[in-house]
Amino acid sequence: MKKSSLSTFPIVVAGVCLAVFVITAEAVKISHPKYIKGSSNTIPGRYIISFSGAQPDSGTIFTQSFTKQFKDAGLKVKENFKHDFFNGISVDLDNTDNSIHTAALKAILDRSDVKAVYPVRTIARPKVTLESQGSSKTPSVLPHAMTQVDRVHSELKNKGKGIFVGVLDTGVDYLHPALGGGFGKSFKVIKGYDLVGDAYTGFNTPKPDNDPLDDCGADSEASGHGTHVSGIIAGYDKSTNFTGVAPEAKLGMWRVFGCKGSVSNDVVIKALLMAYDAGVDVINLSLGETNSWSTTTDVEASVVNKIARKGVSVVVSAGNSGAKGIYTVGQPSTSVDAFSVASVENSYYVSKDLKATGIDHDILYTASNDDSKFANGEVVYGDMSGANGAEGCTSGSIDSAVSGKIALIQRGTCPFSDKVNNAVSAGAIGVIIYNNVAGALTASVPGVTVPVISISNADGKALLAALKAGTVKVTLNKKGSIQPIENANTISTFSSTGSSSELNFKPNIAGIGGNVYSTLPRYLDSYGVMSGTSMAAPYVAGSVALYLNSEGKNKKQSIAYINEQFQNYAYTTKVFNTTKVDSPIRQGAGLVQVYDTITQKTHISPAQISFNDTSTSKYKTQIITITNYGIETMQYEIVNEIAISVSPYNVKASGYTPIEPAANSDAAAKLRFSKKSFKLAPGKSQKIKVTVTPPKTDPKDHIFYGGFIHVKSKQPSKGKDLKVPYFGVAGKQKELPIFDSGFPTIIDAKNKEYGKDDTFTFDRSNSTNAPISVLRLLTPSPQIKAELLDYKTSKVLGQFLTGLDYVGRNFLTGDKLYYQFAWDGTYVPASISQAPLPIAAIDGIYKFRFTALKLLGNPKNKNDWEFWTSGPIAVKN
Ligand SMILES: *[C@@H]1O[C@H](CO)[C@@H](O)[C@H](O)[C@H]1NC(C)=O
Ligand SMILES: *[C@@H]1O[C@H](CO)[C@@H](O)[C@H](O)[C@H]1NC(C)=O
Ligand SMILES: *[C@@H]1O[C@H](CO)[C@@H](O)[C@H](O)[C@H]1NC(C)=O
Ligand SMILES: *[C@@H]1O[C@H](CO)[C@@H](O)[C@H](O)[C@H]1NC(C)=O
Ligand SMILES: *[C@@H]1O[C@H](CO)[C@@H](O)[C@H](O)[C@H]1NC(C)=O
């Protein structure tokens, strides 16, 4: 890491980690075998309690007796789960007095009817980019030819009829004409529930009702995410021909987000259970945390796995952090039984264009809000001060000459809406915003009173030049035209990179998530283009619905089999602008090909391989089984189709500082097959032993190699090729350092750093001067111990922080730059084994020790731990 970045420590105030991006150490420290520490974003005072028995009344019995015993704990029940998959409740302990709170929590933990207690966490709203909004007049272009969905509709006459897809999201505008125009049995959205209400933010109390309608309104900052996703899965509008993946499927919406903000995991668990109980066939989930561990102690991951094992397909987006390099796939898509979806770029998008007098080419534009009322007419340069980069940002900065005309304004310095509102005050009837850097601009400007469009920097400059030469009038072609996308059929740059921290194969598959046109709530002008793995997951959920429909009433195959079949026949994507195959840790098995998946009769299991790293030879040889379920004898030949390798680090140049995004290299593994070609009669299986020789790259580089076992059909007219993606690491993950150089470190509230020789004086009467530990992890760690030591004797007194299990890695930029924890002066003593309560450190001199278990390390092996010890910390009470 660069030491200069120390100056960018986020400000921390008053002894609490304010910034929402950090893992907040639990407000309450308690060490108890039944207390399952979560690793991130816990909500102080809120817990999920799971009961040991299966009595339906466990929650009521618990609440009655506990409330009698502990009146002043302020126990309030939030959610009651009562389910075969999870018997528990979530509660608030409202009393913020630390000792009462902790005593109450200990009493809960000591009860025999309580199996475990988990702190409640928040899960952020999925991030998507709203590329543009359109009116219903835009041509409807869901890219179904790329995925063979068009052939499933036309040749197989399969549009997903009778399949029920459940969605956990921001609600849905079911009054939208493409989403059925109503709610209930006779409509498209047949079931659902609003678990939270408009005003819910993830931290306040949900106000549920039985209507999942999204009518947040244009001024609410709501994104219309759930409506967009619903359209991708099952939208259909006869008048515009807009067609989702499974336009005859039915939808259920369990609304878990308010108009803004995040959601707490107890609400998500409740929604998952409600969707399961409503009988959904497929659940599409878009919740993510950028933490690549498959192993988690979280209840929702366990509920996801239980639902999947009951035969419901759980399709989850991989995440949108691909720009941050490896280990960026997020939970719960990392759950072993979830189908984790990467994003592929669409092949075309709808671009609108305009003609301007004095300019000899058509100018492409994006509608930044509803452009249907954009009147053709004269354009005036909006800024009086000349191109100064801050155009239109102050109320007086717009020329009154724009009155009654269209204002041309450059992007930069302030929000688009400020510029537009200032132009409106000066009388403008429309605004064109041009980019201030090279390239096209796809601004979204909802909630203003005039239509706005955005154009590229080059076209903005061309308009400026034309204005200098004379009067310029623009004429918009609002219908738009279809333009090719340069990086079509490649993995989106935002799509998260695998694998899971344990080297489980993730992501598993890809859908189309870059530039996806779909429905928006009517208050956001009904249609628009969004990008995100959030768009790719519903694309795959709709595809699974088509598969399930093709099986008819008596379902034959397990979800695991169906997922494999999708992987067997997926389309292998290439690296943009090259002929090289992209890595399976970016594309999974590749882009779904739904027609082949449904119609082809040969199947391979397993459908993905992790050869793990080189610390053991245990995973070097694996067996795949190829089975012919068709009626003709098939003949196959097996070859190794090499993909590019992914280089996470440039060890020579910068040590183990991660490369973000990860770089590509040509290193390739060799595969040996026990048989290279074979015949397969109907009903027969062939086992093939596959043995890997990883590339001979420097093991310090820890590159992720990969490719596809390509099972080539010798009779393409009878059956298609199949592929099994594989990956592995050339190197030993447990040799990777955990802490970035210069970390951990101790700072104070003013960002001053304390070295090993500096004494940090902590006067506990003033919580603003608490020592703050700052950690930056180069690689994920399964366990970090935070111990308080006597400075002189180095005796371990106890833990000063808890909950640091299955921690994800940090990034070089953005909101996971560091983890930081302010110390409140207490610790859980080491000497008492059962349920010790935290106690205050008495006056004296201490030091902190962080001990991190290395990735894939053995906790029993001392060499697999890395530790760091602070300088003296003097405590005064
Ligand atoms: C929808 O598709 C039909 C049949 O292909 C076509 O006749 C009709 O013009 C299309 N409608 C629109 C609005 O594009
Ligand atoms: C479907 O999943 C995607 C990604 O996981 C998510 O963004 C979207 O909101 C989900 N849609 C529904 C309807 O749950
Ligand atoms: C890889 O190997 C480690 C042990 O070195 C093991 O803990 C881990 O589960 C393995 N991962 C997979 C996907 O098999
Ligand atoms: C694609 O490759 C060609 C030839 O190597 C190169 O000239 C061009 O700049 C590349 N385009 C992009 C967008 O990288
Ligand atoms: C509390 O500590 C902060 C940070 O060291 C210091 O700026 C402030 O003056 C202290 N307040 C009091 C009341 O001592």
Side-chain angles (χ1 to χ4, degrees):
M1 80 111 216
K2 296 121 253 149
K3 215 48 180 172
S4 65
S5 54
L6 274 181
S7 60
T8 65
F9 281 133
I11 309 287
V12 195
V13 188
V16 261
C17 307
L18 263 202
V20 287
F21 52 82
V22 297
I23 292 183
T24 41
E26 289 146 58
V28 172
K29 288 190 200 88
I30 192 155
S31 174
H32 190 288
K34 288 198 223 163
Y35 190 57
I36 314 297
K37 307 168 259 187
S39 65
S40 49
N41 299 334
T42 56
I43 304 181
R46 198 172 294 179
Y47 305 94
I48 294 170
I49 300 173
S50 95
F51 297 114
S52 24
Q55 312 95 302
D57 283 348
S58 307
T60 321
I61 296 165
F62 167 87
T63 313
Q64 278 169 359
S65 72
F66 184 82
T67 312
K68 245 185 241 150
Q69 194 191 348
F70 268 92
K71 268 197 208 78
D72 50 358
L75 179 111
K76 292 211 177 76
V77 175
K78 293 293 181 184
E79 302 287 351
N80 197 339
F81 301 110
K82 266 197 216 172
H83 199 279
D84 290 349
F85 290 166
F86 187 66
N87 185 18
I89 55 176
S90 68
V91 300
D92 256 343
L93 289 179
D94 277 350
N95 196 324
T96 51
D97 180 296
N98 219 357
S99 61
I100 294 176
H101 190 112
T102 317
L105 186 58
K106 180 184 180 303
I108 294 174
L109 285 159
D110 283 344
R111 289 174 64 111
S112 62
D113 58 344
V114 169
K115 188 161 130 202
V117 175
Y118 311 77
V120 169
R121 299 177 298 112
T122 58
I123 300 173
R125 205 180 185 86
K127 261 192 208 135
V128 292
T129 320
L130 178 60
E131 310 278 353
S132 63
Q133 275 165 251
S135 65
S136 53
K137 290 181 197 78
T138 318
S140 49
V141 284
L142 262 173
H144 296 326
M146 288 170 72
T147 53
Q148 305 175 332
V149 163
D150 55 348
R151 294 180 62 198
V152 177
H153 291 173
S154 64
E155 293 173 38
L156 303 180
K157 308 273 178 274
N158 173 355
K159 296 186 175 178
K161 195 171 188 156
I163 304 301
F164 181 25
V165 183
V167 177
L168 273 59
D169 213 292
T170 60
V172 56
D173 181 5
Y174 52 68
L175 296 172
H176 193 295
L179 294 171
F183 177 50
K185 238 183 181 160
S186 54
F187 296 97
K188 180 175 290 294
V189 182
I190 54 171
K191 287 184 184 170
Y193 193 73
D194 179 354
L195 287 92
V196 293
D198 284 0
Y200 178 68
T201 60
F203 295 91
N204 52 3
T205 300
K207 291 215 169 63
D209 65 63
N210 52 21
D211 184 354
L213 183 69
D214 173 358
D215 60 356
C216 285
D219 296 334
S220 66
E221 297 171 43
S223 64
H225 190 263
T227 302
H228 202 263
V229 167
S230 300
I232 294 170
I233 297 170
Y236 179 64
D237 185 353
K238 206 165 148 194
S239 70
T240 63
N241 284 345
F242 173 78
T243 306
V245 178
E248 289 174 5
K250 298 292 188 186
L251 289 171
M253 171 62 73
W254 285 269
R255 185 184 186 205
V256 296
F257 290 103
C259 294
K260 28 178 170 180
S262 47
V263 60
S264 60
N265 67 335
D266 54 339
V267 171
V268 172
I269 294 161
K270 182 81 180 176
L272 280 168
L273 295 172
M274 287 176 92
Y276 176 81
D277 288 345
V280 296
D281 302 295
V282 182
I283 294 182
N284 165 66
L285 205 62
S286 63
L287 312 156
E289 275 190 88
T290 321
N291 183 336
S292 57
W293 286 99
S294 298
T295 322
T296 118
T297 48
D298 293 335
V299 183
E300 71 266 26
S302 115
V303 170
V304 162
N305 284 334
K306 280 180 184 156
I307 290 176
R309 283 171 201 161
K310 285 282 178 185
V312 175
S313 177
V314 187
V315 179
V316 193
S317 55
N320 297 330
S321 303
K324 306 284 169 65
I326 61 156
Y327 290 134
T328 51
V329 286
Q331 294 166 355
S333 92
T334 48
S335 291
V336 179
D337 292 313
F339 210 25
S340 170
V341 184
S343 169
V344 164
E345 285 297 309
N346 198 347
S347 55
Y348 45 76
Y349 72 114
V350 177
S351 168
K352 303 186 180 185
D353 52 276
L354 61 84
K355 289 189 190 314
T357 45
I359 294 181
D360 59 4
H361 65 274
D362 289 350
I363 293 177
L364 297 181
Y365 77 86
T366 299
S368 300
N369 53 19
D370 184 2
D371 63 347
S372 62
K373 296 195 187 74
F374 203 110
N376 296 329
E378 192 181 338
V379 177
V380 172
Y381 187 35
D383 189 73
M384 290 193 296
S385 53
N388 61 7
E391 293 182 17
C393 285
T394 54
S395 54
S397 66
I398 301 269
D399 198 320
S400 59
V402 302
S403 184
K405 298 187 177 138
I406 299 159
L408 175 68
I409 306 176
Q410 191 182 195
R411 171 192 184 187
T413 309
C414 62
F416 295 126
S417 54
D418 289 4
K419 292 175 189 272
V420 173
N421 288 332
N422 290 333
V424 170
S425 307
I429 56 166
V431 175
I432 302 176
I433 299 177
Y434 70 101
N435 208 348
N436 58 346
V437 291
L441 177 63
T442 54
S444 170
V445 193
V448 292
T449 55
V450 297
V452 181
I453 63 174
S454 45
I455 63 174
S456 72
N457 179 262
D459 286 333
K461 285 183 175 156
L463 274 180
L464 277 181
L467 282 171
K468 286 202 180 112
T471 303
V472 175
K473 280 193 172 159
V474 293
T475 312
L476 275 61
N477 167 18
K478 294 172 191 166
K479 245 180 44 212
S481 57
I482 290 176
Q483 304 286 336
I485 293 180
E486 217 183 0
N487 55 351
N489 271 311
T490 65
I491 295 297
S492 307
T493 52
F494 56 75
S495 189
S496 282
T497 304
S499 62
S500 89
S501 303
E502 301 87 340
L503 300 179
N504 285 317
F505 191 101
K506 295 282 170 183
N508 305 105
I509 195 82
I512 297 167
N515 283 293
V516 180
Y517 177 87
S518 182
T519 46
L520 285 177
R522 288 160 304 144
Y523 65 77
L524 290 175
D525 306 325
S526 298
Y527 283 94
V529 174
M530 283 187 174
S531 289
T533 51
S534 285
M535 281 59 250
Y539 201 97
V540 171
S543 302
V544 174
L546 293 176
Y547 187 97
L548 292 174
N549 185 44
S550 75
E551 290 191 306
K553 280 269 173 284
N554 25 357
K555 281 191 206 165
K556 291 181 290 267
Q557 305 298 359
S558 68
I559 284 302
Y561 176 96
I562 295 170
N563 289 354
E564 286 176 348
Q565 184 78 0
F566 270 100
Q567 292 180 294
N568 288 169
Y569 291 100
Y571 167 87
T572 308
T573 67
K574 302 272 166 60
V575 176
F576 173 52
N577 212 14
T578 77
T579 56
K580 294 174 182 174
V581 170
D582 208 342
S583 169
I585 70 166
R586 291 212 184 92
Q587 64 170 321
L591 180 62
V592 286
Q593 299 294 300
V594 187
Y595 183 88
D596 291 347
T597 302
I598 291 174
T599 56
Q600 291 294 307
K601 299 296 182 205
T602 300
H603 183 86
I604 308 183
S605 181
Q608 56 184 31
I609 290 176
S610 163
F611 286 116
N612 216 305
D613 67 7
T614 51
S615 45
T616 142
S617 56
K618 198 168 144 193
Y619 304 95
K620 248 182 97 169
T621 298
Q622 310 225 13
I623 292 168
I624 56 172
T625 304
I626 303 145
T627 305
N628 182 355
Y629 292 104
I631 50 166
E632 299 206 61
T633 296
M634 296 297 302
Q635 226 178 324
Y636 294 104
E637 179 195 352
I638 307 191
V639 297
N640 177 14
E641 182 177 10
I642 291 158
I644 52 107
S645 285
V646 169
S647 301
Y649 318 102
N650 183 344
V651 176
K652 269 196 199 115
S654 53
Y656 286 105
T657 301
I659 304 177
E660 300 182 358
N664 295 339
S665 74
D666 287 329
K670 294 204 175 81
L671 298 184
R672 202 174 67 234
F673 303 110
S674 58
K675 229 179 196 160
K676 281 191 181 157
S677 67
F678 58 93
K679 265 194 187 156
L680 207 52
K684 294 286 185 231
S685 292
Q686 173 73 55
K687 285 194 192 307
I688 303 282
K689 218 191 252 179
V690 186
T691 306
V692 73
T693 308
K696 306 251 174 305
T697 48
D698 186 344
K700 287 204 174 83
D701 289 338
H702 292 85
I703 67 157
F704 283 71
Y705 64 85
F708 290 78
I709 298 169
H710 188 168
V711 180
K712 282 186 165 165
S713 165
K714 294 257 181 84
Q715 306 112 304
S717 62
K718 286 197 204 160
K720 298 227 170 186
D721 294 6
L722 300 87
K723 291 183 184 181
V724 176
Y726 68 86
F727 84 98
V729 173
K732 300 175 181 171
Q733 295 304 74
K734 67 179 179 207
E735 289 177 355
L736 286 169
I738 300 289
F739 298 129
D740 201 349
S741 67
F743 292 91
T745 188
I746 305 295
I747 58 167
D748 65 14
K750 291 176 181 142
N751 274 346
K752 178 172 179 284
E753 199 180 353
Y754 290 73
K756 298 245 166 170
D757 302 325
D758 307 326
T759 299
F760 192 112
T761 306
F762 178 22
D763 178 356
R764 290 191 67 219
S765 65
N766 176 1
S767 64
T768 58
N769 72 6
I772 299 156
S773 309
V774 184
L775 274 63
R776 177 139 98 191
L777 307 191
L778 296 168
T779 44
S781 169
Q783 194 189 347
I784 302 177
K785 290 192 274 190
E787 291 162 316
L788 187 70
L789 275 57
D790 182 276
Y791 186 73
K792 277 219 184 81
T793 64
S794 293
K795 183 175 177 272
V796 178
L797 303 169
Q799 295 181 69
F800 70 96
L801 284 171
T802 60
L804 297 177
D805 292 333
Y806 302 113
V807 188
R809 56 166 276 247
N810 293 101
F811 306 136
L812 300 180
T813 54
D815 57 4
K816 267 188 82 180
L817 199 50
Y818 311 105
Y819 297 128
Q820 37 178 18
F821 311 97
W823 188 38
D824 64 358
T826 67
Y827 65 100
V828 179
S831 53
I832 309 161
S833 62
Q834 203 51 356
L837 299 178
I839 56 173
I842 55 169
D843 286 9
I845 302 180
Y846 302 89
K847 58 187 170 187
F848 290 161
R849 184 169 74 191
F850 283 100
T851 314
L853 181 57
K854 294 196 182 180
L855 198 51
L856 304 188
N858 176 357
K860 290 184 187 133
N861 186 345
K862 239 183 143 183
N863 294 332
D864 289 355
W865 292 87
E866 183 177 325
F867 64 89
W868 174 90
T869 311
S870 74
I873 293 164
V875 173
K876 277 199 237 159
N877 282 286

